[in-house]
Amino acid sequence: MNPTTQNRTRPVRGARGAAALAARPGRGSRPRPGTANWAGWAFLAPVTIYLLAFYAYPMYRNIELSLHHYTVRSFVHGGAPFTGLDNYRKVLSDPAFRPALIHTLVFTGASILFQFWIGMGLAVFFSRHFRLSATLRALFLVPWLLPLIVSASTWSWMLNSDSGVVNHMLHGLGIAPVDWLTSPKWSLVSVIVANVWIGIPFNLVMLYSGMQAVSPELYEAAELDGATAWQRFWKVTFPLLRPVAAITLLLGLVYTLKVFDIIWIMTKGGPAGSSATFATWSYQLGFGNLLPEFGPGAAVGNLLVVMALAFGLIYIRAQRKQREA
Amino acid sequence: MTAFRRPRTTWWKTAVGLVLTALMLFPVYWMVNESLTRDQDMRKTPPNWFPVHGTLDGYRAVLHQQMPYLGTSLFIGLGTVVLTVAVAAPAGYSLAKLRPRGGGILSFALLIAQMIPGIIMAMGFYAIYLNLGMLDSVAGLIVADSTIAVPFATLVFAAFMTGIPAELLQAAKTDGAGQLRTFWSIVMPVSRNAVVTVSLFAFLWAWSDFIFANTLDGQGGAQPITLGIYHYIGNNNQQWNAIMATAVVASVPATVLLVVAQRYVAAGVTAGAVKD
C-alpha cells in the first residue's frame, strides 16, 4: 500500500478506532495506578455529567411519561396518575399501529436498499481516474450538508401536483400527473425518494473510502486473468468491501429508523397516516394535536428506541468482529 | 487506478460524471432557479428552466423578514460548537491517553447515545424545560442541539488523539507540566484538525436542527432559520420564490463549509457521522 492510499483511508480507520474503543469496554486499556486514574476521570467528568443530565434524564422522563396518564394540566402542575403499561397497550391496539410499523419498515428498507446500491455504483464510478473526479465527488456531498428543511421543502415544491417540475417532466414523457404528496398511494414513495437523495452521499463516501483501501495489484491480477469489469467487482471489490459495507448498512439502518424531519415537513405523515412512521406518529401524538397525548406519544417513542438499540447492538457487534478479524 | 494504466480516453468518463452530478444536483439547481422566478411565472406550464425573467424579489423578502432568524441560528450554532468542544475534547483526551478504569463503559454509553431518536430527546427535553421554565430560550436550544454532536465529537477526539505520540506527552511531563497544562498547551493545539471537523459538524447540525427548535422554541421571540422557513411555508404558500430564496440563504453555511473545509467534511462523514 503506497502512502497516498494509506492517507486516504485514514478517516475510516479513525472511525473504526473510535467505535472499537467503545465496543470493547475495559479491554486494551491498561489501568494505571493512582494519579492517572484520578486524572482520567477528572477529564471525563464534564461528559459524564453531561450524559447523565442531557441523555439519561430526558430518557428517564420519557419512560416516566409513558407510564402515567398526562394531560396538559397535569403536565404543568403535576399529579398525573400512574397507569402502568396502559399507554403501551393503548398504542399496540391502536388501528394506526400496524400501518406505522409497516411504513417504518418499508421506509427504512427501501431507503437503505436504494441509497446503498446507488452509492455503490457511484463509488465504483468515481474510483476510476478522470478529470474533475475529485471535484464532482465533493459536489455529491451537497445534498447531505443542506439543512433538512431546505431539502424537504425543495422536494415538496418539485413534487407539487399542479406546478411541480416532476409532473412537468412526466407530462413531457406523456405520463399523467401524479399526486405525489396528496394521495395516500404515493406519499410514502415521495418521502422515500427524498430520503434516498439525501442518503446517497454518505453511502458514496463510505464505500469510496473502503474501495481506496483495496490494493490496486489485486485488480491488475484479476485483469491479467481476463476478468471482466463485472467480475472484478463481484470477485474482488465486493468481497473486500464487505466489512465497510456492513458498517455503512448498519449505520444507515440505525439512522434511517429515526428519520423525522423529511417526512414531517413533506407530508406530516399524511394524508390519512399513509406516510406515518413511528417517529412521526410519536411526534403527532405528543405535539401534533391540540390535545396532546404525551403518554402514548412517549410510549411509541420508546418502542422506536428499542428498535434502534436492537440494530445498534448488531452494529457494535459487527464493529468488534471487524476489529478482531 | 494506477498511473500507467490510465487510459487516454478519460473524457467520456468526465462527461458521464458531469451528467450524474447534474442529475444529483438538479433539486439544488431548481431551488436556486425558483428563488429567482417571478411570482406570475411560478405556476407556469411549462416552467422556466432558467431564470429568464429573473427577479430578486424573493431575496428582498428574505432580507426584510428573515434576518433575525439567521442571526439567532448563527448564535445557536456557535454556542453549540463551544459547548460541544468544551465537553468532548477533555473526554476524548482521557479516553485516548489516560484510559482510566471504567472508561470503556463511558465510550459504550456514548455509542448508545448516538442511536437515540431525536423525537425521544425532544419529548424528554420538553418535559424538563416545561418544569424549569426553559422553553423558548436560546440557551435551552443550544443545550438540546449539542446532544446531536457531543457523542460523535467525543469519539472523533478520542480516535484522533490516540495518534498523538506518547513521547510528546512524556516530554511535557518531564518539563513539569501537569495534566491540565499538557492538555491545554500540547494536546489541543496538536488536535486542531479534530477541532475543525467537530466544530464543522456541530455547527451544521445545530444550524439545520428542526425538531428541537419546533418543540422547544416554537413560540419564542428568538427562533432559528429552520423555523423561519417552516412558518413561512405554513403562513404563505403562494410566494414560493421567497420560500426558496430563504432556503438558498439557509444553505449558505453548508456551501461555504463544503468549499472551505472539504477534506474535514469527508473525514467527518467517514467517521460515522450521519444526519438524523
Side-chain angles (χ1 to χ4, degrees), chain A residues 73-101:
Chain A
R73 221 191 111 74
S74 60
F75 211 81
V76 182
H77 302 288
F82 180 79
T83 55
L85 294 174
D86 267 10
N87 283 324
Y88 290 90
R89 245 171 256 136
K90 199 174 155 193
V91 162
L92 286 170
S93 61
D94 195 305
F97 178 81
R98 247 179 81 92
L101 176 66

PDB file of all heavy atoms in Angstrom, chain A residues 73-101:
ATOM      1  N   ARG A  73     -52.874  19.834  31.778  1.00  0.00           N
ATOM      2  CA  ARG A  73     -52.886  20.373  33.139  1.00  0.00           C
ATOM      3  C   ARG A  73     -51.878  19.665  34.029  1.00  0.00           C
ATOM      4  O   ARG A  73     -51.046  20.301  34.673  1.00  0.00           O
ATOM      5  CB  ARG A  73     -54.297  20.222  33.722  1.00  0.00           C
ATOM      6  CG  ARG A  73     -54.753  21.405  34.512  1.00  0.00           C
ATOM      7  CD  ARG A  73     -56.032  21.095  35.271  1.00  0.00           C
ATOM      8  NE  ARG A  73     -55.774  21.041  36.705  1.00  0.00           N
ATOM      9  CZ  ARG A  73     -55.551  22.128  37.455  1.00  0.00           C
ATOM     10  NH1 ARG A  73     -55.554  23.315  36.910  1.00  0.00           N
ATOM     11  NH2 ARG A  73     -55.316  22.021  38.751  1.00  0.00           N
ATOM     12  N   SER A  74     -51.938  18.336  34.025  1.00  0.00           N
ATOM     13  CA  SER A  74     -51.045  17.595  34.914  1.00  0.00           C
ATOM     14  C   SER A  74     -49.594  17.736  34.460  1.00  0.00           C
ATOM     15  O   SER A  74     -48.663  17.574  35.238  1.00  0.00           O
ATOM     16  CB  SER A  74     -51.449  16.122  34.987  1.00  0.00           C
ATOM     17  OG  SER A  74     -51.390  15.528  33.707  1.00  0.00           O
ATOM     18  N   PHE A  75     -49.408  18.059  33.191  1.00  0.00           N
ATOM     19  CA  PHE A  75     -48.050  18.251  32.683  1.00  0.00           C
ATOM     20  C   PHE A  75     -47.413  19.458  33.360  1.00  0.00           C
ATOM     21  O   PHE A  75     -46.234  19.460  33.682  1.00  0.00           O
ATOM     22  CB  PHE A  75     -48.112  18.476  31.165  1.00  0.00           C
ATOM     23  CG  PHE A  75     -46.904  17.966  30.452  1.00  0.00           C
ATOM     24  CD1 PHE A  75     -46.793  16.622  30.154  1.00  0.00           C
ATOM     25  CD2 PHE A  75     -45.871  18.820  30.099  1.00  0.00           C
ATOM     26  CE1 PHE A  75     -45.668  16.143  29.504  1.00  0.00           C
ATOM     27  CE2 PHE A  75     -44.752  18.335  29.451  1.00  0.00           C
ATOM     28  CZ  PHE A  75     -44.652  16.994  29.159  1.00  0.00           C
ATOM     29  N   VAL A  76     -48.221  20.485  33.575  1.00  0.00           N
ATOM     30  CA  VAL A  76     -47.701  21.706  34.170  1.00  0.00           C
ATOM     31  C   VAL A  76     -47.712  21.616  35.704  1.00  0.00           C
ATOM     32  O   VAL A  76     -46.734  21.959  36.364  1.00  0.00           O
ATOM     33  CB  VAL A  76     -48.534  22.935  33.714  1.00  0.00           C
ATOM     34  CG1 VAL A  76     -47.955  24.213  34.301  1.00  0.00           C
ATOM     35  CG2 VAL A  76     -48.565  23.005  32.200  1.00  0.00           C
ATOM     36  N   HIS A  77     -48.818  21.126  36.264  1.00  0.00           N
ATOM     37  CA  HIS A  77     -48.976  21.175  37.715  1.00  0.00           C
ATOM     38  C   HIS A  77     -48.634  19.870  38.414  1.00  0.00           C
ATOM     39  O   HIS A  77     -48.678  19.784  39.630  1.00  0.00           O
ATOM     40  CB  HIS A  77     -50.416  21.582  38.065  1.00  0.00           C
ATOM     41  CG  HIS A  77     -50.796  22.896  37.483  1.00  0.00           C
ATOM     42  ND1 HIS A  77     -50.300  24.097  37.961  1.00  0.00           N
ATOM     43  CD2 HIS A  77     -51.594  23.224  36.430  1.00  0.00           C
ATOM     44  CE1 HIS A  77     -50.785  25.098  37.244  1.00  0.00           C
ATOM     45  NE2 HIS A  77     -51.568  24.601  36.296  1.00  0.00           N
ATOM     46  N   GLY A  78     -48.334  18.844  37.649  1.00  0.00           N
ATOM     47  CA  GLY A  78     -48.005  17.561  38.263  1.00  0.00           C
ATOM     48  C   GLY A  78     -49.276  16.789  38.642  1.00  0.00           C
ATOM     49  O   GLY A  78     -50.397  17.223  38.374  1.00  0.00           O
ATOM     50  N   GLY A  79     -49.079  15.634  39.244  1.00  0.00           N
ATOM     51  CA  GLY A  79     -50.221  14.843  39.701  1.00  0.00           C
ATOM     52  C   GLY A  79     -50.830  13.964  38.636  1.00  0.00           C
ATOM     53  O   GLY A  79     -52.027  13.700  38.656  1.00  0.00           O
ATOM     54  N   ALA A  80     -50.014  13.516  37.661  1.00  0.00           N
ATOM     55  CA  ALA A  80     -50.536  12.585  36.663  1.00  0.00           C
ATOM     56  C   ALA A  80     -50.596  11.188  37.277  1.00  0.00           C
ATOM     57  O   ALA A  80     -49.612  10.731  37.850  1.00  0.00           O
ATOM     58  CB  ALA A  80     -49.650  12.583  35.435  1.00  0.00           C
ATOM     59  N   PRO A  81     -51.751  10.526  37.179  1.00  0.00           N
ATOM     60  CA  PRO A  81     -51.866   9.201  37.801  1.00  0.00           C
ATOM     61  C   PRO A  81     -51.015   8.164  37.086  1.00  0.00           C
ATOM     62  O   PRO A  81     -50.889   8.186  35.865  1.00  0.00           O
ATOM     63  CB  PRO A  81     -53.360   8.873  37.682  1.00  0.00           C
ATOM     64  CG  PRO A  81     -53.866   9.738  36.589  1.00  0.00           C
ATOM     65  CD  PRO A  81     -53.009  10.965  36.575  1.00  0.00           C
ATOM     66  N   PHE A  82     -50.434   7.254  37.881  1.00  0.00           N
ATOM     67  CA  PHE A  82     -49.643   6.156  37.342  1.00  0.00           C
ATOM     68  C   PHE A  82     -50.578   5.135  36.700  1.00  0.00           C
ATOM     69  O   PHE A  82     -51.562   4.716  37.295  1.00  0.00           O
ATOM     70  CB  PHE A  82     -48.839   5.505  38.475  1.00  0.00           C
ATOM     71  CG  PHE A  82     -47.988   4.361  38.013  1.00  0.00           C
ATOM     72  CD1 PHE A  82     -46.781   4.592  37.377  1.00  0.00           C
ATOM     73  CD2 PHE A  82     -48.394   3.043  38.224  1.00  0.00           C
ATOM     74  CE1 PHE A  82     -45.984   3.540  36.953  1.00  0.00           C
ATOM     75  CE2 PHE A  82     -47.608   1.981  37.796  1.00  0.00           C
ATOM     76  CZ  PHE A  82     -46.396   2.232  37.169  1.00  0.00           C
ATOM     77  N   THR A  83     -50.293   4.754  35.462  1.00  0.00           N
ATOM     78  CA  THR A  83     -51.206   3.845  34.776  1.00  0.00           C
ATOM     79  C   THR A  83     -50.503   2.583  34.296  1.00  0.00           C
ATOM     80  O   THR A  83     -51.053   1.819  33.507  1.00  0.00           O
ATOM     81  CB  THR A  83     -51.845   4.526  33.543  1.00  0.00           C
ATOM     82  OG1 THR A  83     -50.793   5.000  32.709  1.00  0.00           O
ATOM     83  CG2 THR A  83     -52.745   5.656  33.944  1.00  0.00           C
ATOM     84  N   GLY A  84     -49.289   2.356  34.749  1.00  0.00           N
ATOM     85  CA  GLY A  84     -48.572   1.151  34.340  1.00  0.00           C
ATOM     86  C   GLY A  84     -48.360   1.108  32.843  1.00  0.00           C
ATOM     87  O   GLY A  84     -47.979   2.099  32.235  1.00  0.00           O
ATOM     88  N   LEU A  85     -48.661  -0.031  32.255  1.00  0.00           N
ATOM     89  CA  LEU A  85     -48.394  -0.202  30.827  1.00  0.00           C
ATOM     90  C   LEU A  85     -49.591   0.152  29.947  1.00  0.00           C
ATOM     91  O   LEU A  85     -49.634  -0.197  28.775  1.00  0.00           O
ATOM     92  CB  LEU A  85     -47.956  -1.641  30.553  1.00  0.00           C
ATOM     93  CG  LEU A  85     -46.613  -2.033  31.184  1.00  0.00           C
ATOM     94  CD1 LEU A  85     -46.326  -3.512  30.979  1.00  0.00           C
ATOM     95  CD2 LEU A  85     -45.469  -1.191  30.620  1.00  0.00           C
ATOM     96  N   ASP A  86     -50.572   0.848  30.530  1.00  0.00           N
ATOM     97  CA  ASP A  86     -51.785   1.188  29.778  1.00  0.00           C
ATOM     98  C   ASP A  86     -51.496   1.894  28.464  1.00  0.00           C
ATOM     99  O   ASP A  86     -52.116   1.593  27.442  1.00  0.00           O
ATOM    100  CB  ASP A  86     -52.695   2.090  30.630  1.00  0.00           C
ATOM    101  CG  ASP A  86     -53.703   1.251  31.402  1.00  0.00           C
ATOM    102  OD1 ASP A  86     -53.531   0.007  31.395  1.00  0.00           O
ATOM    103  OD2 ASP A  86     -54.620   1.829  32.006  1.00  0.00           O
ATOM    104  N   ASN A  87     -50.541   2.852  28.508  1.00  0.00           N
ATOM    105  CA  ASN A  87     -50.233   3.595  27.285  1.00  0.00           C
ATOM    106  C   ASN A  87     -49.708   2.667  26.196  1.00  0.00           C
ATOM    107  O   ASN A  87     -50.021   2.847  25.020  1.00  0.00           O
ATOM    108  CB  ASN A  87     -49.203   4.680  27.574  1.00  0.00           C
ATOM    109  CG  ASN A  87     -49.831   5.871  28.272  1.00  0.00           C
ATOM    110  OD1 ASN A  87     -50.977   6.230  27.982  1.00  0.00           O
ATOM    111  ND2 ASN A  87     -49.108   6.448  29.215  1.00  0.00           N
ATOM    112  N   TYR A  88     -48.882   1.690  26.603  1.00  0.00           N
ATOM    113  CA  TYR A  88     -48.345   0.749  25.622  1.00  0.00           C
ATOM    114  C   TYR A  88     -49.457  -0.111  25.044  1.00  0.00           C
ATOM    115  O   TYR A  88     -49.509  -0.352  23.839  1.00  0.00           O
ATOM    116  CB  TYR A  88     -47.252  -0.112  26.260  1.00  0.00           C
ATOM    117  CG  TYR A  88     -46.002   0.672  26.564  1.00  0.00           C
ATOM    118  CD1 TYR A  88     -45.846   1.293  27.800  1.00  0.00           C
ATOM    119  CD2 TYR A  88     -45.004   0.826  25.613  1.00  0.00           C
ATOM    120  CE1 TYR A  88     -44.714   2.040  28.082  1.00  0.00           C
ATOM    121  CE2 TYR A  88     -43.865   1.561  25.875  1.00  0.00           C
ATOM    122  CZ  TYR A  88     -43.719   2.166  27.115  1.00  0.00           C
ATOM    123  OH  TYR A  88     -42.599   2.909  27.379  1.00  0.00           O
ATOM    124  N   ARG A  89     -50.371  -0.562  25.942  1.00  0.00           N
ATOM    125  CA  ARG A  89     -51.496  -1.372  25.472  1.00  0.00           C
ATOM    126  C   ARG A  89     -52.329  -0.573  24.476  1.00  0.00           C
ATOM    127  O   ARG A  89     -52.719  -1.061  23.435  1.00  0.00           O
ATOM    128  CB  ARG A  89     -52.363  -1.771  26.682  1.00  0.00           C
ATOM    129  CG  ARG A  89     -52.364  -3.275  26.926  1.00  0.00           C
ATOM    130  CD  ARG A  89     -53.030  -3.597  28.246  1.00  0.00           C
ATOM    131  NE  ARG A  89     -52.047  -3.936  29.261  1.00  0.00           N
ATOM    132  CZ  ARG A  89     -52.055  -3.509  30.517  1.00  0.00           C
ATOM    133  NH1 ARG A  89     -53.004  -2.670  30.935  1.00  0.00           N
ATOM    134  NH2 ARG A  89     -51.141  -3.887  31.353  1.00  0.00           N
ATOM    135  N   LYS A  90     -52.561   0.698  24.833  1.00  0.00           N
ATOM    136  CA  LYS A  90     -53.373   1.582  24.001  1.00  0.00           C
ATOM    137  C   LYS A  90     -52.732   1.731  22.613  1.00  0.00           C
ATOM    138  O   LYS A  90     -53.410   1.648  21.586  1.00  0.00           O
ATOM    139  CB  LYS A  90     -53.458   2.941  24.695  1.00  0.00           C
ATOM    140  CG  LYS A  90     -54.607   3.796  24.214  1.00  0.00           C
ATOM    141  CD  LYS A  90     -54.686   5.052  25.072  1.00  0.00           C
ATOM    142  CE  LYS A  90     -55.350   6.168  24.295  1.00  0.00           C
ATOM    143  NZ  LYS A  90     -55.167   7.468  24.947  1.00  0.00           N
ATOM    144  N   VAL A  91     -51.434   1.937  22.624  1.00  0.00           N
ATOM    145  CA  VAL A  91     -50.717   2.157  21.367  1.00  0.00           C
ATOM    146  C   VAL A  91     -50.712   0.897  20.509  1.00  0.00           C
ATOM    147  O   VAL A  91     -50.957   0.945  19.302  1.00  0.00           O
ATOM    148  CB  VAL A  91     -49.267   2.613  21.675  1.00  0.00           C
ATOM    149  CG1 VAL A  91     -48.378   2.424  20.474  1.00  0.00           C
ATOM    150  CG2 VAL A  91     -49.265   4.057  22.136  1.00  0.00           C
ATOM    151  N   LEU A  92     -50.478  -0.252  21.158  1.00  0.00           N
ATOM    152  CA  LEU A  92     -50.406  -1.511  20.402  1.00  0.00           C
ATOM    153  C   LEU A  92     -51.755  -1.876  19.792  1.00  0.00           C
ATOM    154  O   LEU A  92     -51.808  -2.514  18.741  1.00  0.00           O
ATOM    155  CB  LEU A  92     -49.914  -2.643  21.309  1.00  0.00           C
ATOM    156  CG  LEU A  92     -48.424  -2.603  21.661  1.00  0.00           C
ATOM    157  CD1 LEU A  92     -48.097  -3.613  22.738  1.00  0.00           C
ATOM    158  CD2 LEU A  92     -47.575  -2.875  20.419  1.00  0.00           C
ATOM    159  N   SER A  93     -52.846  -1.490  20.442  1.00  0.00           N
ATOM    160  CA  SER A  93     -54.161  -1.849  19.901  1.00  0.00           C
ATOM    161  C   SER A  93     -54.729  -0.730  19.032  1.00  0.00           C
ATOM    162  O   SER A  93     -55.842  -0.829  18.532  1.00  0.00           O
ATOM    163  CB  SER A  93     -55.125  -2.170  21.049  1.00  0.00           C
ATOM    164  OG  SER A  93     -55.260  -1.032  21.865  1.00  0.00           O
ATOM    165  N   ASP A  94     -53.962   0.338  18.861  1.00  0.00           N
ATOM    166  CA  ASP A  94     -54.424   1.446  18.028  1.00  0.00           C
ATOM    167  C   ASP A  94     -54.430   1.014  16.556  1.00  0.00           C
ATOM    168  O   ASP A  94     -53.486   0.367  16.097  1.00  0.00           O
ATOM    169  CB  ASP A  94     -53.465   2.631  18.208  1.00  0.00           C
ATOM    170  CG  ASP A  94     -54.044   3.932  17.687  1.00  0.00           C
ATOM    171  OD1 ASP A  94     -54.441   3.978  16.494  1.00  0.00           O
ATOM    172  OD2 ASP A  94     -54.092   4.894  18.460  1.00  0.00           O
ATOM    173  N   PRO A  95     -55.511   1.364  15.834  1.00  0.00           N
ATOM    174  CA  PRO A  95     -55.522   0.995  14.402  1.00  0.00           C
ATOM    175  C   PRO A  95     -54.373   1.617  13.613  1.00  0.00           C
ATOM    176  O   PRO A  95     -54.043   1.141  12.525  1.00  0.00           O
ATOM    177  CB  PRO A  95     -56.873   1.527  13.897  1.00  0.00           C
ATOM    178  CG  PRO A  95     -57.454   2.319  15.003  1.00  0.00           C
ATOM    179  CD  PRO A  95     -56.762   1.971  16.269  1.00  0.00           C
ATOM    180  N   ALA A  96     -53.759   2.672  14.165  1.00  0.00           N
ATOM    181  CA  ALA A  96     -52.632   3.300  13.453  1.00  0.00           C
ATOM    182  C   ALA A  96     -51.331   2.526  13.660  1.00  0.00           C
ATOM    183  O   ALA A  96     -50.343   2.799  12.984  1.00  0.00           O
ATOM    184  CB  ALA A  96     -52.454   4.745  13.932  1.00  0.00           C
ATOM    185  N   PHE A  97     -51.318   1.562  14.585  1.00  0.00           N
ATOM    186  CA  PHE A  97     -50.062   0.896  14.924  1.00  0.00           C
ATOM    187  C   PHE A  97     -49.498   0.093  13.757  1.00  0.00           C
ATOM    188  O   PHE A  97     -48.342   0.260  13.366  1.00  0.00           O
ATOM    189  CB  PHE A  97     -50.259  -0.019  16.136  1.00  0.00           C
ATOM    190  CG  PHE A  97     -49.015  -0.775  16.516  1.00  0.00           C
ATOM    191  CD1 PHE A  97     -48.028  -0.174  17.269  1.00  0.00           C
ATOM    192  CD2 PHE A  97     -48.812  -2.089  16.087  1.00  0.00           C
ATOM    193  CE1 PHE A  97     -46.867  -0.846  17.610  1.00  0.00           C
ATOM    194  CE2 PHE A  97     -47.653  -2.771  16.415  1.00  0.00           C
ATOM    195  CZ  PHE A  97     -46.684  -2.152  17.172  1.00  0.00           C
ATOM    196  N   ARG A  98     -50.344  -0.796  13.207  1.00  0.00           N
ATOM    197  CA  ARG A  98     -49.861  -1.666  12.133  1.00  0.00           C
ATOM    198  C   ARG A  98     -49.347  -0.881  10.927  1.00  0.00           C
ATOM    199  O   ARG A  98     -48.222  -1.126  10.480  1.00  0.00           O
ATOM    200  CB  ARG A  98     -50.961  -2.638  11.711  1.00  0.00           C
ATOM    201  CG  ARG A  98     -50.668  -4.085  12.042  1.00  0.00           C
ATOM    202  CD  ARG A  98     -51.827  -4.946  11.591  1.00  0.00           C
ATOM    203  NE  ARG A  98     -51.749  -5.233  10.161  1.00  0.00           N
ATOM    204  CZ  ARG A  98     -51.139  -6.317   9.675  1.00  0.00           C
ATOM    205  NH1 ARG A  98     -50.572  -7.171  10.491  1.00  0.00           N
ATOM    206  NH2 ARG A  98     -51.101  -6.530   8.378  1.00  0.00           N
ATOM    207  N   PRO A  99     -50.145   0.091  10.404  1.00  0.00           N
ATOM    208  CA  PRO A  99     -49.611   0.876   9.278  1.00  0.00           C
ATOM    209  C   PRO A  99     -48.297   1.579   9.621  1.00  0.00           C
ATOM    210  O   PRO A  99     -47.359   1.568   8.813  1.00  0.00           O
ATOM    211  CB  PRO A  99     -50.715   1.911   9.007  1.00  0.00           C
ATOM    212  CG  PRO A  99     -51.927   1.396   9.659  1.00  0.00           C
ATOM    213  CD  PRO A  99     -51.522   0.450  10.732  1.00  0.00           C
ATOM    214  N   ALA A 100     -48.214   2.145  10.825  1.00  0.00           N
ATOM    215  CA  ALA A 100     -46.981   2.869  11.187  1.00  0.00           C
ATOM    216  C   ALA A 100     -45.793   1.920  11.217  1.00  0.00           C
ATOM    217  O   ALA A 100     -44.702   2.264  10.746  1.00  0.00           O
ATOM    218  CB  ALA A 100     -47.153   3.559  12.541  1.00  0.00           C
ATOM    219  N   LEU A 101     -46.012   0.711  11.743  1.00  0.00           N
ATOM    220  CA  LEU A 101     -44.929  -0.273  11.782  1.00  0.00           C
ATOM    221  C   LEU A 101     -44.494  -0.639  10.361  1.00  0.00           C
ATOM    222  O   LEU A 101     -43.306  -0.643  10.030  1.00  0.00           O
ATOM    223  CB  LEU A 101     -45.383  -1.525  12.542  1.00  0.00           C
ATOM    224  CG  LEU A 101     -44.382  -2.678  12.590  1.00  0.00           C
ATOM    225  CD1 LEU A 101     -43.151  -2.293  13.394  1.00  0.00           C
ATOM    226  CD2 LEU A 101     -45.019  -3.934  13.198  1.00  0.00           C
TER     227      LEU A 101
END
